[in-house]
Amino acid sequence: KQNLPWIFAGAVGMQGQVAVILPGETPCLRCLLDSPPSQCEDSNCVQNGVFGPAVSVMASLQAMEAIKFLGGCYRQVSRRMIKIDMWTNEIQQFDMSIENRNSRCPCCVLQEFEFLEP
């Protein structure tokens, strides 16, 4: 809403993801998710918990992106979402270029911010 960069990270069970949201350069989080992420009230968090090393890996990746951004190495900031499965060691990367933005996104295209309202 305020056109600020955001470095998103999350973990549940033994999986995690991290992405840098750069307004005007990458899709926003709403382009990628139809609804806001749960607040760990669903069965995934309750049944699977959160594996400490997954949190550590995601936090390290998130911190490194912040260091690059704040340190002026803007071109080195990742334009990919990274998903990691700590159990299988599978790493997936998804292109976060503006071409992959949802052309009908209520947030970054239509400037509607319903999830930010109380």
Side-chain angles (χ1 to χ4, degrees), residues 64-91:
M64 193 64 231
E65 293 304 321
I67 289 167
K68 289 188 282 189
F69 184 83
L70 295 172
C73 299
Y74 191 72
R75 293 181 192 201
Q76 271 44 60
V77 173
S78 178
R79 270 54 170 200
R80 296 184 174 275
M81 174 181 277
I82 300 170
K83 288 186 165 188
I84 299 177
D85 185 319
M86 299 294 291
W87 189 255
T88 64
N89 290 333
E90 181 179 352
I91 300 172

Side-chain angles (χ1 to χ4, degrees), residues 8-116:
F8 165 80
V12 64
M14 296 183 188
Q15 300 177 355
Q17 59 188 16
V18 64
V20 179
I21 309 296
L22 300 170
E25 291 187 40
T26 67
C28 72
L29 194 59
R30 181 78 190 267
C31 285
L32 307 173
L33 305 170
D34 289 335
S35 59
S38 73
Q39 297 177 5
C40 284
E41 295 173 357
D42 63 17
S43 61
N44 269 342
C45 287
V46 173
Q47 291 175 354
N48 297 331
V50 180
F51 191 56
V55 174
S56 297
V57 169
M58 294 304 108
S60 294
L61 290 171
Q62 185 180 35
M64 193 64 231
E65 293 304 321
I67 289 167
K68 289 188 282 189
F69 184 83
L70 295 172
C73 299
Y74 191 72
R75 293 181 192 201
Q76 271 44 60
V77 173
S78 178
R79 270 54 170 200
R80 296 184 174 275
M81 174 181 277
I82 300 170
K83 288 186 165 188
I84 299 177
D85 185 319
M86 299 294 291
W87 189 255
T88 64
N89 290 333
E90 181 179 352
I91 300 172
Q92 298 176 304
Q93 295 188 41
F94 303 93
D95 184 21
M96 291 281 290
S97 61
I98 196 70
E99 293 81 24
N100 292 325
R101 178 171 67 179
N102 175 353
S103 63
R104 293 177 281 137
C105 176
C107 184
C108 66
V109 175
L110 301 177
Q111 298 293 297
E112 297 171 0
F113 305 100
E114 64 188 85
F115 298 139
L116 297 179

